[in-house]
Amino acid sequence: MFRELTRKNKKLTEDVCIRLLKTEKRGVLSVIGDGGYPYGMPMNHWYDEQSGKLYFHCGLSGHRLDALKKDDRVSFCVYDQGYRLPDQWPLHISSVIVFGRVAIVDDLETIEDVATKLSHKFTQDDAYIEKEIAQYAKRTLLLELTVEHMCGKAVEES
């Protein structure tokens, strides 16, 4: 069902894909939006290495949730900042695209747990994290992406 990478020599290993999902802070989550148009939005994410699932937090309503209620299939793309070799202009970038299905999690304990882990990607200020979660967790949903296919690629811009 999922296409294989055309340029197999550019393919990243699963370990490298997982490392990118764990270390990069943001990506673009795309859903099937209104009228069948793709709807992509920048999202913070947390990758749970034990379950192999990705998690996102969101509000209780909006375009994204309306789309997911109609069709739970999504793609999520993450890419690193890249690097340049000395005295060369091309940027070397690694990216991962994940395809899967999203379930909506509304269990407050799970939301608080994952939101804490996600927040630690941005700050180690536990007092700040606890305050934010206490204030917003009840108005938050968690999106749980079950990965059906993952593919990563390393490219050199030229």
Side-chain angles (χ1 to χ4, degrees):
M1 171 161 55
F2 297 101
R3 294 179 182 213
E4 289 300 317
L5 193 61
T6 304
R7 298 185 65 193
K8 295 185 185 347
N9 63 327
K10 302 291 185 184
K11 186 174 183 175
L12 299 177
T13 65
E14 183 175 343
D15 288 344
V16 173
C17 291
I18 288 170
R19 181 180 50 77
L20 282 169
L21 291 173
K22 286 174 54 180
T23 58
E24 293 304 318
K25 294 180 174 140
R26 296 168 193 85
V28 175
L29 180 69
S30 295
V31 299
I32 300 168
D34 293 345
Y37 280 94
Y39 176 60
M41 73 255 19
M43 298 282 292
N44 302 327
H45 67 281
W46 178 69
Y47 179 78
D48 181 7
E49 201 163 5
Q50 287 186 329
S51 68
K53 294 183 180 189
L54 282 156
Y55 291 90
F56 312 88
H57 64 85
C58 68
L60 301 175
S61 63
H63 188 170
R64 172 183 34 234
L65 282 180
D66 292 344
L68 288 170
K69 288 175 184 173
K70 292 178 188 172
D71 194 328
D72 64 352
R73 295 174 296 166
V74 300
S75 70
F76 181 62
C77 178
V78 172
Y79 60 95
D80 65 13
Q81 293 183 11
Y83 66 91
R84 287 189 168 85
L85 295 174
D87 298 323
Q88 294 187 15
W89 69 267
L91 190 62
H92 297 257
I93 300 172
S94 294
S95 63
V96 178
I97 298 179
V98 171
F99 295 91
R101 294 182 180 266
V102 166
I104 297 169
V105 178
D106 60 5
D107 173 67
L108 186 58
E109 191 174 314
T110 304
I111 291 168
E112 290 174 346
D113 178 56
V114 172
T116 299
K117 292 171 180 170
L118 171 61
S119 296
H120 278 120
K121 287 178 77 172
F122 296 92
T123 181
Q124 299 305 308
D125 185 343
D126 289 326
Y128 171 80
I129 292 170
E130 288 173 19
K131 179 182 167 224
E132 289 291 303
I133 290 173
Q135 186 174 356
Y136 296 110
K138 290 181 180 157
R139 297 191 312 256
T140 301
L141 291 179
L142 197 60
L143 305 179
E144 178 186 73
L145 194 165
T146 299
V147 177
E148 294 181 347
H149 181 75
M150 176 172 51
C151 187
K153 181 165 109 173
V155 296
E156 175 186 324
E157 292 180 340
S158 56

